[in-house]
Amino acid sequence: TYEAALEAGAGDQQILASVSNNLAVLATIRGDLDEAVVQYESCLEMYEALGDEKGLAGTYQNLGMTYSDQGDWSAAMDCYERGFEIAQKLENLLIMANIHLSMAEVMLEMGNTMMVPMCCARALDIYRKMGNRSGEADTYRLLGRTFTLRKDWSTAAGLFQDSIHMNEDLGNPLGLAEAYRDLGKMQTAQGHSQDARTAFSEALSGFQKLGSQADAAEVERLLAELEAS
């Protein structure tokens, strides 16, 4: 249990930081974002004390994603900028790519689609050089959302399908569920209710199998809105 790990690692800040990170992940899955913030901030304090810059960079990214989920775009971007600066200093390409993508998502949520392709291109370049196909798939999904906002349906649909196929090949259930959810949102915007219902059902099944309560609740709401329309 985490309690046992905390007791066993009472004198080991590295273990405690790892436990706090895992508690933050679990809190995010439950949808308890306030608790996730508390745990990530605890991680930052411990990594700072340890001088663990890689831990700091990764935690700033995770904390930024949590603030993004809360709709606090300013706090999210501040975390991403801090994390990116550290990752760039360390030449940690994976964290740099992940933060490029996370920044793109915040811009998308704020309705600023102009800068999203550039951030995605930077992330995609790194993912391809690293052979990180999971990152590629997530980038295609985010670009699909961008072209959905632009009402470029055919481009968006192609990007979502690319993401779906890659996630299927990789056996990545979270990426697959996210891609189906966003495809369903696009199809809803097009007025293609039956197709959207099918996509949302796939997404809901995936999120429920993963125990991702917050994501499952969102898709259930989208399905209910579809039925009511």
Side-chain angles (χ1 to χ4, degrees):
T1 65
Y2 284 112
E3 290 77 11
L6 284 168
E7 184 176 348
D12 190 327
Q13 291 288 297
Q14 198 75 48
I15 293 175
L16 291 175
S18 179
V19 170
S20 289
N21 181 78
N22 290 339
L23 288 171
V25 171
L26 290 173
T28 302
I29 290 172
R30 292 196 309 271
D32 189 350
L33 300 179
D34 289 338
E35 176 62 19
V37 168
V38 169
Q39 293 296 338
Y40 282 134
E41 287 180 340
S42 178
C43 285
L44 288 176
E45 291 177 7
M46 285 184 271
Y47 285 135
E48 186 74 45
L50 289 164
D52 184 342
E53 291 187 310
K54 181 180 178 183
L56 278 172
T59 303
Y60 271 124
Q61 187 212 347
N62 290 334
L63 180 57
M65 291 171 67
T66 307
Y67 281 133
S68 179
D69 287 341
Q70 290 181 318
D72 191 340
W73 316 128
S74 177
M77 290 299 283
D78 180 64
C79 286
Y80 293 149
E81 287 167 4
R82 292 180 184 221
F84 188 84
E85 183 178 354
I86 298 169
Q88 192 171 38
K89 173 186 169 185
L90 297 173
E91 298 183 350
N92 189 308
L93 295 179
L94 179 58
I95 295 177
M96 289 169 62
N98 290 343
I99 291 177
H100 277 310
L101 205 59
S102 294
M103 285 180 165
E105 188 156 22
V106 168
M107 292 173 191
L108 196 58
E109 293 292 349
M110 295 172 67
N112 178 11
T113 63
M114 295 298 294
M115 298 296 291
V116 174
M118 181 183 70
C119 288
C120 286
R122 289 174 176 171
L124 196 57
D125 182 57
I126 295 173
Y127 288 138
R128 284 174 173 166
K129 286 177 180 176
M130 296 181 70
N132 188 323
R133 297 185 71 232
S134 177
E136 280 192 59
D138 209 27
T139 305
Y140 293 144
R141 178 182 65 83
L142 199 59
L143 284 169
R145 289 179 56 192
T146 304
F147 284 99
T148 295
L149 285 179
R150 296 179 180 180
K151 295 184 170 25
D152 185 342
W153 309 122
S154 61
T155 301
L159 287 161
F160 287 135
Q161 289 299 333
D162 285 346
S163 182
I164 286 168
H165 293 150
M166 289 186 79
N167 280 305
E168 285 176 337
D169 290 344
L170 292 166
N172 181 3
L174 178 58
L176 188 61
E178 289 175 333
Y180 271 120
R181 176 199 60 203
D182 291 346
L183 173 63
K185 288 180 179 180
M186 183 203 74
Q187 291 166 333
T188 299
Q190 286 180 286
H192 297 170
S193 298
Q194 186 55 52
D195 290 338
R197 193 174 292 110
T198 300
F200 285 146
S201 295
E202 290 283 352
L204 181 59
S205 175
F207 286 134
Q208 287 175 335
K209 287 176 183 176
L210 290 166
S212 186
Q213 298 172 21
D215 288 318
E218 180 197 7
V219 177
E220 287 174 342
R221 176 182 59 76
L222 291 167
L223 277 166
E225 290 174 356
L226 201 59
E227 294 300 331
S229 63

